[in-house]
């Protein structure tokens, strides 16, 4: 049984940092892509960042480029989202997801950012950024 368990959310002031973790278990993720999505109150879930388990290709939505970094520790089966220079508009529930596909290069962004490509989801962790 695949499980994705997030942690690391919390309350932080604007300009601060948080690091989210997602521990994956239940199968081998070597041909998977791991993504972070977020959903703010009253809004649809949106793509934040993704990383391929093989090769470590990374993809970001424009609003977080230069502020957020996604990386993985394959030995620990864990994916991280380092969030710096946080803004109030980053407030949302952040969820980790795993999709059964592998790709590489800049052309993969369109696939990596699609919610429907991901089969497994964590329960989410709340991130609140105060102004």
């Amino acid at each position: 049984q695949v499980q994705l368990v997030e942690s690391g959310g919390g309350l932080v002031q604007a300009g601060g940092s948080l690091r989210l973790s997602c521990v994956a278990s239940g199968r081998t993720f070597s041909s998977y892509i791991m993504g972070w999505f977020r959903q703010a109150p009253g809004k649809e879930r949106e793509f934040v960042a993704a990383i391929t388990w093989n090769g470590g290709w990374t993809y970001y939505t424009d609003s977080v480029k230069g502020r957020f970094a996604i990386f993985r520790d394959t030995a620990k089966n864990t994916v991280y989202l380092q969030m710096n220079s946080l803004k109030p508009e980053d407030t949302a529930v952040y969820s980790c997801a795993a999709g059964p596909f592998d790709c590489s290069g800049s052309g993969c962004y369109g696939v990596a950012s699609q919610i429907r490509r991901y089969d497994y989801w964590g329960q989410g962790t709340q991130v609140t950024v105060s102004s």
Side-chain angles (χ1 to χ4, degrees):
Q1 180 181 1
V2 173
Q3 280 194 317
L4 303 176
V5 180
E6 305 99 331
S7 62
L11 173 64
V12 64
Q13 287 188 332
S17 298
L18 284 174
R19 177 178 291 185
L20 306 183
S21 301
C22 171
V23 179
S25 62
R27 66 158 297 125
T28 301
F29 293 92
S30 59
S31 296
Y32 272 60
I33 191 164
M34 306 298 291
W36 284 98
F37 292 78
R38 66 186 180 186
Q39 187 168 20
K43 294 188 177 181
E44 294 186 351
R45 180 176 285 174
E46 65 172 356
F47 171 76
V48 177
I51 185 168
T52 59
W53 204 263
N54 290 332
W57 289 91
T58 58
Y59 307 91
Y60 299 93
T61 192
D62 285 346
S63 63
V64 307
K65 284 181 180 177
R67 300 189 299 123
F68 291 12
I70 186 171
F71 55 101
R72 82 245 189 268
D73 184 332
T74 56
K76 295 182 178 179
N77 257 23
T78 301
V79 178
Y80 302 93
L81 184 68
Q82 178 67 42
M83 306 185 295
N84 300 324
S85 302
L86 282 162
K87 304 175 181 180
E89 51 263 43
D90 294 318
T91 295
V93 174
Y94 285 70
S95 298
C96 175
F101 63 96
D102 196 8
C103 51
S104 61
S106 59
C108 186
Y109 176 86
V111 176
S113 60
Q114 292 178 350
I115 293 174
R116 63 182 180 88
R117 297 284 185 172
Y118 294 80
D119 287 354
Y120 304 106
W121 293 83
Q123 81 287 354
T125 184
Q126 176 70 46
V127 171
T128 302
V129 184
S130 63
S131 58

